[in-house]
Amino acid sequence: MINLKSILLNATLVATAALPLAAAALFTSAGSAQAAALTGEFSFDGGKSKTQIGNPFVKSLVTLKKDSLTFTPDSIIQDSNGVKSTPVAVAAQTGSFLGFNSASIRDIISFANNTVQNPFLDLGNLPSDGDILPGDDTASLADGINIFTLTSSGYQITQTGANITIAVNLLGYFTSATGEITNGAGSLSFQRNNTTVAQAISILDTADGSLANLTFSGSTFTTSVPEPAALLGLGAVGGVMAMSRRRKGVVQ
């Protein structure tokens, strides 16, 4: 097994910035906050899309270069900032994820430069799981609501008989429609037939070399949920800090 690349992404700053928001929510009950958080798990694989009626469906595929991971086609879904993404079908949902049948997935721009397009997954719904037809409303897949933000990732290549398997680990956090954050993790995998690990490394080390247009599948799950006691404790600390600031203001 060859561990080729790993990254630590700047999205962790988003999680840190969210801490004041958690403190600001102290006046809500811990039970309601926990209920609003995304919890559970789901699997996903490449969806399909077509730009015109009568055209064949185009399957969502993945391409790996030495320092990047991209998905195609990315011309159907586009958010308000013009960032494009690729449809995936969501299956085997549990918990809060039962309400979604599709998602959009964005590129890991660069393993080398610690950058990624976030949200990495944007959960929503389509008339048919993961399939986009002309005229379908894709807004829920590009609204920045119910998302998985990627904070670190890496990939490994292993030999499985005459084929290779590329496994991409995913670490990050889910943000619900109400802004509740839960830690999350998962994996993404794809295969290339009749190839050895040495051959794959040689291809990736070549300028513009890639393992291209491969089908993929993956899964993600929540790894921790805010505890009511922790939220209440945070509330107590926030209240003490606020009182302390007010008292200092009176003295001064």
Side-chain angles (χ1 to χ4, degrees):
M1 180 175 67
I2 306 296
N3 188 351
L4 289 176
K5 290 288 176 183
S6 63
I7 54 174
L8 181 62
L9 303 171
N10 292 330
T12 50
L13 296 176
V14 178
T16 303
L19 292 177
L21 296 178
L26 298 173
F27 299 105
T28 62
S29 71
S32 64
Q34 187 169 8
L38 291 173
T39 59
E41 62 185 278
F42 62 91
S43 61
F44 60 90
D45 59 17
K48 301 190 296 292
S49 57
K50 61 169 64 179
T51 56
Q52 292 182 355
I53 298 294
N55 287 358
F57 273 108
V58 177
K59 179 75 173 177
S60 298
L61 301 172
V62 66
T63 294
L64 175 71
K65 292 187 176 182
K66 184 175 182 178
D67 292 322
S68 67
L69 192 70
T70 58
F71 299 90
T72 57
D74 65 356
S75 59
I76 304 292
I77 306 168
Q78 185 169 308
D79 67 13
S80 58
N81 295 317
V83 179
K84 298 176 181 179
S85 53
T86 302
V88 297
V90 172
Q93 308 94 315
T94 67
S96 306
F97 300 112
L98 287 169
F100 308 107
N101 71 7
S102 305
S104 63
I105 193 166
R106 294 186 179 176
D107 301 339
I108 297 177
I109 299 301
S110 174
F111 290 106
N113 296 328
N114 302 338
T115 56
V116 67
Q117 288 187 357
N118 270 316
F120 183 62
L121 287 168
D122 191 328
L123 294 157
N125 287 284
L126 292 170
S128 179
D129 301 4
D131 296 344
I132 300 178
L133 287 165
D136 281 350
D137 184 359
T138 62
S140 67
L141 307 185
D143 58 7
I145 298 174
N146 296 309
I147 59 174
F148 178 68
T149 297
L150 191 62
T151 57
S152 66
S153 183
Y155 68 85
Q156 298 152 340
I157 303 178
T158 58
Q159 194 73 47
T160 52
N163 309 324
I164 58 168
T165 297
I166 300 94
V168 181
N169 64 75
L170 308 170
L171 290 173
Y173 58 91
F174 290 93
T175 306
S176 71
T178 53
E180 300 299 325
I181 292 176
T182 47
N183 292 328
S187 62
L188 176 73
S189 65
F190 42 99
Q191 293 75 39
R192 176 163 167 143
N193 298 330
N194 194 28
T195 306
T196 66
V197 171
Q199 288 171 336
I201 295 173
S202 178
I203 292 170
L204 295 174
D205 281 340
T206 303
D208 293 325
S210 66
L211 305 176
N213 300 322
L214 304 174
T215 59
F216 63 91
S217 62
S219 63
T220 58
F221 52 93
T222 52
T223 58
S224 65
V225 182
E227 294 292 339
L231 290 172
L232 289 173
L234 181 60
V237 171
V240 170
M241 291 176 65
M243 290 175 63
S244 175
R245 282 195 295 267
R246 282 196 291 267
R247 287 172 180 169
K248 288 180 180 179
V250 170
V251 172
Q252 294 172 352

